[in-house]
Short mmCIF file of all heavy atoms in Angstrom, two decimals:
data_model
loop_
_atom_site.label_atom_id
_atom_site.label_comp_id
_atom_site.label_asym_id
_atom_site.label_seq_id
_atom_site.Cartn_x
_atom_site.Cartn_y
_atom_site.Cartn_z
N SER A 89 -9.19 -17.57 -22.10
CA SER A 89 -8.55 -16.28 -22.38
C SER A 89 -7.44 -16.01 -21.37
O SER A 89 -7.59 -16.34 -20.19
CB SER A 89 -9.59 -15.18 -22.31
OG SER A 89 -8.97 -13.93 -22.32
N PRO A 90 -6.34 -15.41 -21.81
CA PRO A 90 -5.29 -15.05 -20.84
C PRO A 90 -5.79 -14.11 -19.75
O PRO A 90 -5.21 -14.04 -18.67
CB PRO A 90 -4.22 -14.39 -21.70
CG PRO A 90 -4.84 -14.12 -23.02
CD PRO A 90 -5.96 -15.10 -23.17
N ARG A 91 -6.89 -13.40 -20.04
CA ARG A 91 -7.44 -12.51 -19.01
C ARG A 91 -7.98 -13.32 -17.84
O ARG A 91 -8.21 -12.79 -16.77
CB ARG A 91 -8.57 -11.66 -19.60
CG ARG A 91 -8.11 -10.78 -20.72
CD ARG A 91 -9.28 -10.20 -21.47
NE ARG A 91 -9.90 -9.11 -20.72
CZ ARG A 91 -9.47 -7.85 -20.78
NH1 ARG A 91 -8.45 -7.55 -21.52
NH2 ARG A 91 -10.08 -6.91 -20.10
N ASN A 115 -5.71 -18.59 -26.79
CA ASN A 115 -7.11 -18.48 -26.40
C ASN A 115 -7.99 -19.41 -27.25
O ASN A 115 -8.45 -19.04 -28.32
CB ASN A 115 -7.54 -17.02 -26.57
CG ASN A 115 -8.85 -16.72 -25.92
OD1 ASN A 115 -9.65 -17.62 -25.70
ND2 ASN A 115 -9.07 -15.47 -25.61
N GLU A 118 -12.64 -18.60 -25.53
CA GLU A 118 -13.39 -17.40 -25.90
C GLU A 118 -13.26 -17.08 -27.39
O GLU A 118 -14.20 -16.59 -28.00
CB GLU A 118 -12.91 -16.19 -25.09
CG GLU A 118 -13.49 -16.12 -23.69
CD GLU A 118 -12.73 -16.97 -22.70
OE1 GLU A 118 -11.92 -17.82 -23.14
OE2 GLU A 118 -12.94 -16.82 -21.48
N HIS A 119 -12.06 -17.32 -27.96
CA HIS A 119 -11.85 -16.93 -29.35
C HIS A 119 -12.06 -18.07 -30.34
O HIS A 119 -11.86 -17.90 -31.52
CB HIS A 119 -10.44 -16.36 -29.54
CG HIS A 119 -10.29 -15.00 -28.91
ND1 HIS A 119 -9.19 -14.21 -29.07
CD2 HIS A 119 -11.11 -14.30 -28.11
CE1 HIS A 119 -9.34 -13.09 -28.41
NE2 HIS A 119 -10.50 -13.12 -27.81
N TRP A 122 -16.06 -21.36 -28.21
CA TRP A 122 -17.34 -20.79 -27.84
C TRP A 122 -18.01 -20.02 -28.98
O TRP A 122 -19.20 -19.70 -28.91
CB TRP A 122 -17.18 -19.86 -26.64
CG TRP A 122 -17.25 -20.59 -25.32
CD1 TRP A 122 -17.59 -21.89 -25.13
CD2 TRP A 122 -16.98 -20.04 -24.02
NE1 TRP A 122 -17.55 -22.19 -23.79
CE2 TRP A 122 -17.18 -21.07 -23.09
CE3 TRP A 122 -16.60 -18.79 -23.55
CZ2 TRP A 122 -17.01 -20.90 -21.72
CZ3 TRP A 122 -16.43 -18.61 -22.19
CH2 TRP A 122 -16.63 -19.65 -21.28
N VAL A 123 -17.22 -19.68 -30.00
CA VAL A 123 -17.81 -18.83 -31.05
C VAL A 123 -18.02 -19.57 -32.37
O VAL A 123 -18.47 -18.98 -33.33
CB VAL A 123 -16.96 -17.55 -31.28
CG1 VAL A 123 -17.13 -16.60 -30.11
CG2 VAL A 123 -15.50 -17.88 -31.49
N HIS A 124 -17.62 -20.84 -32.39
CA HIS A 124 -17.83 -21.60 -33.63
C HIS A 124 -18.53 -22.90 -33.30
O HIS A 124 -18.30 -23.48 -32.24
CB HIS A 124 -16.48 -21.92 -34.29
CG HIS A 124 -15.64 -20.69 -34.50
ND1 HIS A 124 -16.13 -19.56 -35.11
CD2 HIS A 124 -14.37 -20.41 -34.14
CE1 HIS A 124 -15.19 -18.64 -35.14
NE2 HIS A 124 -14.12 -19.11 -34.54
N ASP A 125 -19.37 -23.38 -34.22
CA ASP A 125 -19.99 -24.68 -33.95
C ASP A 125 -19.52 -25.76 -34.91
O ASP A 125 -19.76 -26.93 -34.68
CB ASP A 125 -21.53 -24.56 -33.93
CG ASP A 125 -22.04 -23.66 -35.04
OD1 ASP A 125 -21.27 -23.45 -36.00
OD2 ASP A 125 -23.19 -23.19 -34.95
N LYS A 133 -8.81 -23.94 -36.69
CA LYS A 133 -8.47 -22.62 -36.15
C LYS A 133 -7.66 -22.77 -34.87
O LYS A 133 -6.67 -22.04 -34.67
CB LYS A 133 -9.75 -21.83 -35.87
CG LYS A 133 -9.48 -20.44 -35.31
CD LYS A 133 -10.75 -19.61 -35.15
CE LYS A 133 -10.46 -18.27 -34.50
NZ LYS A 133 -11.65 -17.44 -34.32
N ASP A 136 -4.15 -23.40 -35.69
CA ASP A 136 -3.52 -22.14 -36.11
C ASP A 136 -3.13 -21.27 -34.92
O ASP A 136 -2.06 -20.67 -34.89
CB ASP A 136 -4.47 -21.34 -37.01
CG ASP A 136 -4.50 -21.87 -38.43
OD1 ASP A 136 -3.77 -22.85 -38.70
OD2 ASP A 136 -5.25 -21.31 -39.25
N ARG A 139 -0.19 -22.73 -33.21
CA ARG A 139 1.03 -22.59 -34.03
C ARG A 139 1.57 -21.16 -33.90
O ARG A 139 2.77 -20.95 -33.72
CB ARG A 139 0.73 -22.91 -35.49
CG ARG A 139 1.98 -22.85 -36.36
CD ARG A 139 1.69 -23.05 -37.83
NE ARG A 139 1.11 -24.34 -38.10
CZ ARG A 139 -0.12 -24.51 -38.58
NH1 ARG A 139 -0.88 -23.46 -38.82
NH2 ARG A 139 -0.58 -25.70 -38.80
N GLN A 527 -15.07 5.79 -18.63
CA GLN A 527 -14.04 6.02 -19.65
C GLN A 527 -12.79 6.64 -19.04
O GLN A 527 -11.68 6.32 -19.42
CB GLN A 527 -14.60 6.91 -20.75
CG GLN A 527 -15.49 6.11 -21.70
CD GLN A 527 -16.51 6.96 -22.44
OE1 GLN A 527 -16.44 8.19 -22.41
NE2 GLN A 527 -17.46 6.31 -23.07
N TYR A 533 -18.23 -1.15 -19.25
CA TYR A 533 -19.62 -1.17 -18.79
C TYR A 533 -20.46 -1.96 -19.78
O TYR A 533 -20.10 -2.08 -20.95
CB TYR A 533 -20.17 0.24 -18.57
CG TYR A 533 -19.92 1.23 -19.68
CD1 TYR A 533 -20.84 1.42 -20.70
CD2 TYR A 533 -18.76 1.99 -19.69
CE1 TYR A 533 -20.61 2.34 -21.70
CE2 TYR A 533 -18.51 2.92 -20.70
CZ TYR A 533 -19.44 3.09 -21.70
OH TYR A 533 -19.21 3.99 -22.71
N PRO A 616 2.63 8.80 -24.45
CA PRO A 616 1.55 9.48 -23.73
C PRO A 616 1.86 9.71 -22.25
O PRO A 616 1.12 10.41 -21.57
CB PRO A 616 0.35 8.55 -23.91
CG PRO A 616 0.91 7.24 -24.29
CD PRO A 616 2.27 7.43 -24.85
N TYR A 617 2.92 9.08 -21.74
CA TYR A 617 3.19 9.18 -20.31
C TYR A 617 4.41 10.03 -19.98
O TYR A 617 4.79 10.17 -18.82
CB TYR A 617 3.41 7.78 -19.72
CG TYR A 617 2.20 6.92 -19.91
CD1 TYR A 617 2.10 6.03 -20.96
CD2 TYR A 617 1.12 7.05 -19.05
CE1 TYR A 617 0.97 5.28 -21.16
CE2 TYR A 617 -0.02 6.31 -19.23
CZ TYR A 617 -0.10 5.42 -20.29
OH TYR A 617 -1.23 4.69 -20.48
N GLY A 646 3.96 0.45 -21.25
CA GLY A 646 4.05 -0.65 -22.19
C GLY A 646 3.04 -0.64 -23.31
O GLY A 646 2.59 -1.69 -23.74
N CYS A 647 2.66 0.54 -23.80
CA CYS A 647 1.69 0.56 -24.90
C CYS A 647 2.36 0.24 -26.23
O CYS A 647 1.74 -0.30 -27.12
CB CYS A 647 0.97 1.91 -24.99
SG CYS A 647 2.03 3.31 -25.36
N ALA A 652 6.45 1.69 -32.60
CA ALA A 652 5.96 1.82 -33.97
C ALA A 652 6.38 3.14 -34.60
O ALA A 652 6.47 3.24 -35.82
CB ALA A 652 4.45 1.67 -34.01
N PHE A 664 6.47 -8.06 -26.53
CA PHE A 664 5.85 -7.88 -27.85
C PHE A 664 6.89 -7.35 -28.83
O PHE A 664 6.70 -6.32 -29.46
CB PHE A 664 4.66 -6.91 -27.75
CG PHE A 664 3.52 -7.44 -26.94
CD1 PHE A 664 3.42 -7.15 -25.58
CD2 PHE A 664 2.54 -8.22 -27.52
CE1 PHE A 664 2.36 -7.64 -24.83
CE2 PHE A 664 1.48 -8.71 -26.76
CZ PHE A 664 1.39 -8.42 -25.41
N ASP A 666 9.34 -7.09 -32.17
CA ASP A 666 9.08 -7.30 -33.59
C ASP A 666 9.28 -8.76 -33.97
O ASP A 666 8.49 -9.34 -34.71
CB ASP A 666 10.02 -6.42 -34.43
CG ASP A 666 9.53 -4.99 -34.50
OD1 ASP A 666 8.39 -4.73 -34.05
OD2 ASP A 666 10.27 -4.13 -35.00
N ILE A 669 6.28 -10.82 -32.81
CA ILE A 669 5.05 -10.57 -33.58
C ILE A 669 5.20 -11.08 -35.02
O ILE A 669 4.30 -11.73 -35.55
CB ILE A 669 4.70 -9.07 -33.59
CG1 ILE A 669 4.64 -8.51 -32.17
CG2 ILE A 669 3.40 -8.81 -34.33
CD1 ILE A 669 3.52 -9.01 -31.32
N ILE A 673 2.86 -13.71 -36.86
CA ILE A 673 2.08 -13.38 -38.06
C ILE A 673 2.35 -14.38 -39.19
O ILE A 673 1.43 -14.85 -39.86
CB ILE A 673 2.44 -11.96 -38.58
CG1 ILE A 673 2.06 -10.89 -37.56
CG2 ILE A 673 1.74 -11.68 -39.90
CD1 ILE A 673 2.66 -9.54 -37.87
N LEU A 676 0.31 -17.44 -39.47
CA LEU A 676 -1.15 -17.34 -39.58
C LEU A 676 -1.60 -17.57 -41.01
O LEU A 676 -1.66 -16.65 -41.80
CB LEU A 676 -1.61 -15.97 -39.07
CG LEU A 676 -1.52 -15.80 -37.56
CD1 LEU A 676 -1.78 -14.38 -37.17
CD2 LEU A 676 -2.51 -16.72 -36.86
N GLU A 677 -1.85 -18.80 -41.28
CA GLU A 677 -2.24 -19.14 -42.65
C GLU A 677 -3.73 -19.23 -42.73
O GLU A 677 -4.32 -19.97 -42.00
CB GLU A 677 -1.62 -20.48 -43.01
CG GLU A 677 -0.13 -20.41 -43.17
CD GLU A 677 0.28 -19.94 -44.55
OE1 GLU A 677 -0.46 -20.24 -45.49
OE2 GLU A 677 1.29 -19.27 -44.67
N MET B 9 7.60 -21.21 -41.74
CA MET B 9 6.59 -20.88 -42.73
C MET B 9 6.43 -22.01 -43.74
O MET B 9 5.33 -22.48 -44.00
CB MET B 9 7.01 -19.58 -43.41
CG MET B 9 6.32 -19.33 -44.71
SD MET B 9 5.09 -18.09 -44.64
CE MET B 9 4.18 -18.58 -46.05
N GLU B 15 2.22 -28.60 -43.59
CA GLU B 15 1.22 -29.30 -42.77
C GLU B 15 -0.18 -29.17 -43.35
O GLU B 15 -0.98 -30.06 -43.25
CB GLU B 15 1.17 -28.68 -41.37
CG GLU B 15 2.28 -29.13 -40.49
CD GLU B 15 2.32 -28.27 -39.25
OE1 GLU B 15 1.23 -27.89 -38.78
OE2 GLU B 15 3.42 -27.98 -38.79
N ARG B 27 -8.78 -15.68 -45.34
CA ARG B 27 -7.94 -15.69 -44.15
C ARG B 27 -7.75 -14.24 -43.72
O ARG B 27 -7.21 -13.43 -44.47
CB ARG B 27 -6.59 -16.35 -44.45
CG ARG B 27 -6.72 -17.85 -44.67
CD ARG B 27 -5.53 -18.42 -45.36
NE ARG B 27 -5.42 -17.91 -46.73
CZ ARG B 27 -4.46 -18.28 -47.58
NH1 ARG B 27 -3.56 -19.14 -47.21
NH2 ARG B 27 -4.43 -17.79 -48.81
N ASN B 34 -5.13 -5.13 -26.48
CA ASN B 34 -5.42 -6.02 -25.36
C ASN B 34 -6.65 -5.59 -24.57
O ASN B 34 -7.37 -6.40 -24.03
CB ASN B 34 -4.19 -6.04 -24.44
CG ASN B 34 -4.37 -6.91 -23.23
OD1 ASN B 34 -5.05 -7.93 -23.29
ND2 ASN B 34 -3.79 -6.51 -22.12
N TYR B 38 -9.62 -7.06 -27.89
CA TYR B 38 -9.36 -8.43 -27.42
C TYR B 38 -10.42 -8.82 -26.39
O TYR B 38 -10.98 -9.91 -26.41
CB TYR B 38 -7.97 -8.55 -26.82
CG TYR B 38 -7.52 -9.99 -26.63
CD1 TYR B 38 -6.87 -10.68 -27.65
CD2 TYR B 38 -7.75 -10.67 -25.44
CE1 TYR B 38 -6.47 -12.00 -27.49
CE2 TYR B 38 -7.36 -11.99 -25.27
CZ TYR B 38 -6.72 -12.64 -26.30
OH TYR B 38 -6.34 -13.96 -26.14
N ALA B 41 -13.69 -9.41 -28.06
CA ALA B 41 -13.73 -10.75 -28.64
C ALA B 41 -13.96 -11.79 -27.55
O ALA B 41 -14.66 -12.77 -27.75
CB ALA B 41 -12.43 -11.03 -29.40
N ASP B 42 -13.37 -11.56 -26.37
CA ASP B 42 -13.62 -12.45 -25.23
C ASP B 42 -15.09 -12.42 -24.85
O ASP B 42 -15.70 -13.45 -24.56
CB ASP B 42 -12.80 -12.00 -24.02
CG ASP B 42 -11.40 -12.61 -24.01
OD1 ASP B 42 -11.06 -13.32 -24.99
OD2 ASP B 42 -10.66 -12.40 -23.05
N GLY B 45 -17.13 -14.40 -26.97
CA GLY B 45 -16.99 -15.79 -26.56
C GLY B 45 -17.87 -16.12 -25.37
O GLY B 45 -18.65 -17.07 -25.41
N ARG B 48 -21.28 -16.46 -26.23
CA ARG B 48 -21.51 -17.54 -27.20
C ARG B 48 -22.08 -17.01 -28.51
O ARG B 48 -23.00 -17.59 -29.09
CB ARG B 48 -22.45 -18.60 -26.65
CG ARG B 48 -22.14 -19.11 -25.25
CD ARG B 48 -20.82 -19.87 -25.22
NE ARG B 48 -20.74 -20.75 -24.06
CZ ARG B 48 -20.37 -20.37 -22.84
NH1 ARG B 48 -20.05 -19.12 -22.61
NH2 ARG B 48 -20.31 -21.23 -21.85
N LEU B 49 -21.56 -15.86 -28.98
CA LEU B 49 -22.01 -15.32 -30.25
C LEU B 49 -21.23 -16.01 -31.36
O LEU B 49 -20.01 -15.99 -31.36
CB LEU B 49 -21.76 -13.80 -30.30
CG LEU B 49 -22.38 -13.00 -29.16
CD1 LEU B 49 -21.87 -11.57 -29.17
CD2 LEU B 49 -23.90 -13.03 -29.28
N GLN B 50 -21.94 -16.60 -32.29
CA GLN B 50 -21.26 -17.36 -33.34
C GLN B 50 -20.81 -16.43 -34.45
O GLN B 50 -21.57 -15.55 -34.87
CB GLN B 50 -22.21 -18.42 -33.90
CG GLN B 50 -22.72 -19.39 -32.87
CD GLN B 50 -21.65 -20.34 -32.36
OE1 GLN B 50 -20.97 -20.98 -33.14
NE2 GLN B 50 -21.48 -20.41 -31.05
N TYR B 51 -19.57 -16.59 -34.89
CA TYR B 51 -19.12 -15.84 -36.06
C TYR B 51 -18.18 -16.68 -36.91
O TYR B 51 -17.78 -17.77 -36.49
CB TYR B 51 -18.50 -14.49 -35.67
CG TYR B 51 -17.31 -14.52 -34.73
CD1 TYR B 51 -16.03 -14.77 -35.20
CD2 TYR B 51 -17.47 -14.25 -33.37
CE1 TYR B 51 -14.95 -14.77 -34.34
CE2 TYR B 51 -16.40 -14.24 -32.50
CZ TYR B 51 -15.13 -14.51 -32.99
OH TYR B 51 -14.07 -14.51 -32.14
N PRO B 53 -15.25 -18.52 -38.71
CA PRO B 53 -13.96 -18.95 -38.12
C PRO B 53 -12.76 -18.51 -38.95
O PRO B 53 -11.74 -19.17 -38.93
CB PRO B 53 -14.10 -20.47 -38.08
CG PRO B 53 -15.00 -20.79 -39.21
CD PRO B 53 -15.92 -19.62 -39.41
N VAL B 55 -11.00 -15.65 -38.84
CA VAL B 55 -10.12 -14.62 -38.31
C VAL B 55 -9.07 -15.22 -37.38
O VAL B 55 -9.33 -16.18 -36.67
CB VAL B 55 -10.95 -13.53 -37.59
CG1 VAL B 55 -11.57 -14.04 -36.31
CG2 VAL B 55 -10.09 -12.30 -37.32
N ARG B 56 -7.85 -14.70 -37.47
CA ARG B 56 -6.79 -15.08 -36.54
C ARG B 56 -6.35 -13.81 -35.83
O ARG B 56 -5.93 -12.84 -36.47
CB ARG B 56 -5.59 -15.68 -37.29
CG ARG B 56 -5.94 -16.92 -38.11
CD ARG B 56 -6.32 -18.10 -37.23
NE ARG B 56 -6.66 -19.26 -38.04
CZ ARG B 56 -7.91 -19.57 -38.41
NH1 ARG B 56 -8.91 -18.81 -38.04
NH2 ARG B 56 -8.15 -20.64 -39.14
N VAL B 58 -4.17 -11.39 -33.47
CA VAL B 58 -2.84 -11.13 -32.92
C VAL B 58 -3.02 -10.04 -31.86
O VAL B 58 -3.46 -8.94 -32.16
CB VAL B 58 -1.85 -10.65 -33.99
CG1 VAL B 58 -0.50 -10.33 -33.36
CG2 VAL B 58 -1.70 -11.71 -35.07
N LYS B 59 -2.71 -10.39 -30.63
CA LYS B 59 -2.92 -9.46 -29.53
C LYS B 59 -1.69 -8.58 -29.35
O LYS B 59 -0.57 -9.07 -29.34
CB LYS B 59 -3.19 -10.23 -28.23
CG LYS B 59 -3.45 -9.35 -27.04
CD LYS B 59 -3.75 -10.16 -25.81
CE LYS B 59 -2.47 -10.66 -25.15
NZ LYS B 59 -2.68 -11.17 -23.81
N LEU B 60 -1.96 -7.29 -29.21
CA LEU B 60 -0.90 -6.33 -28.91
C LEU B 60 -1.37 -5.49 -27.73
O LEU B 60 -2.57 -5.44 -27.47
CB LEU B 60 -0.67 -5.44 -30.14
CG LEU B 60 -0.17 -6.21 -31.36
CD1 LEU B 60 -0.46 -5.46 -32.63
CD2 LEU B 60 1.30 -6.52 -31.23
N PRO B 61 -0.45 -4.85 -27.02
CA PRO B 61 -0.94 -4.06 -25.89
C PRO B 61 -1.89 -2.95 -26.35
O PRO B 61 -2.87 -2.65 -25.69
CB PRO B 61 0.31 -3.49 -25.26
CG PRO B 61 1.46 -3.92 -26.07
CD PRO B 61 1.00 -4.85 -27.13
N GLY B 64 -1.55 1.35 -31.00
CA GLY B 64 -0.38 2.21 -31.22
C GLY B 64 0.89 1.40 -31.47
O GLY B 64 1.85 1.90 -32.05
N ARG B 65 0.92 0.16 -31.02
CA ARG B 65 2.09 -0.70 -31.20
C ARG B 65 2.18 -1.21 -32.64
O ARG B 65 3.21 -1.73 -33.04
CB ARG B 65 2.00 -1.88 -30.21
CG ARG B 65 3.00 -3.02 -30.41
CD ARG B 65 4.41 -2.59 -30.06
NE ARG B 65 5.41 -3.63 -30.33
CZ ARG B 65 6.10 -3.76 -31.46
NH1 ARG B 65 5.86 -2.93 -32.47
NH2 ARG B 65 7.00 -4.70 -31.61
N ALA B 74 1.62 -9.66 -42.71
CA ALA B 74 0.41 -10.49 -42.73
C ALA B 74 0.02 -10.83 -44.16
O ALA B 74 -0.30 -11.98 -44.48
CB ALA B 74 -0.73 -9.76 -42.02
N GLY B 77 2.39 -13.29 -45.38
CA GLY B 77 2.15 -14.61 -44.79
C GLY B 77 0.91 -15.29 -45.35
O GLY B 77 0.62 -16.42 -44.99
N ASP B 91 -11.14 6.40 -25.50
CA ASP B 91 -11.17 5.31 -24.53
C ASP B 91 -9.86 4.55 -24.42
O ASP B 91 -9.79 3.57 -23.70
CB ASP B 91 -12.24 4.28 -24.94
CG ASP B 91 -13.64 4.78 -24.68
OD1 ASP B 91 -13.75 5.91 -24.18
OD2 ASP B 91 -14.60 4.05 -24.98
N TYR B 94 -4.19 3.59 -23.00
CA TYR B 94 -2.93 4.35 -22.91
C TYR B 94 -3.16 5.78 -23.42
O TYR B 94 -2.28 6.37 -24.03
CB TYR B 94 -1.84 3.67 -23.70
CG TYR B 94 -1.61 2.22 -23.32
CD1 TYR B 94 -2.11 1.19 -24.08
CD2 TYR B 94 -0.86 1.90 -22.19
CE1 TYR B 94 -1.89 -0.13 -23.74
CE2 TYR B 94 -0.64 0.58 -21.84
CZ TYR B 94 -1.16 -0.43 -22.61
OH TYR B 94 -0.94 -1.74 -22.26
N ARG B 104 -1.75 6.53 -38.62
CA ARG B 104 -0.86 5.65 -39.37
C ARG B 104 -1.65 4.87 -40.42
O ARG B 104 -1.22 4.72 -41.55
CB ARG B 104 -0.25 4.67 -38.37
CG ARG B 104 1.20 4.44 -38.56
CD ARG B 104 1.72 3.60 -37.41
NE ARG B 104 2.16 4.39 -36.29
CZ ARG B 104 2.09 3.98 -35.03
NH1 ARG B 104 1.60 2.81 -34.72
NH2 ARG B 104 2.54 4.74 -34.07
N ALA B 130 -17.02 -3.85 -24.31
CA ALA B 130 -18.44 -4.15 -24.07
C ALA B 130 -19.16 -4.56 -25.35
O ALA B 130 -20.34 -4.84 -25.33
CB ALA B 130 -19.12 -2.93 -23.45
#
Side-chain angles (χ1 to χ4, degrees):
Chain A
S89 169
R91 299 167 77 85
N115 193 337
E118 280 83 346
H119 288 189
W122 274 352
V123 288
H124 307 309
D125 41 19
K133 180 175 176 180
D136 281 0
R139 183 185 299 115
Q527 282 156 11
Y533 48 92
Y617 300 97
C647 64
F664 294 93
D666 280 351
I669 306 292
I673 296 167
L676 288 171
E677 290 276 328
Chain B
M9 162 105 202
E15 281 168 36
R27 290 162 294 182
N34 179 33
Y38 194 88
D42 273 4
R48 312 294 201 278
L49 304 170
Q50 302 290 309
Y51 58 81
V55 69
R56 301 292 179 266
V58 177
K59 181 178 82 166
L60 297 158
R65 170 69 184 93
D91 286 359
Y94 305 101
R104 223 173 271 149

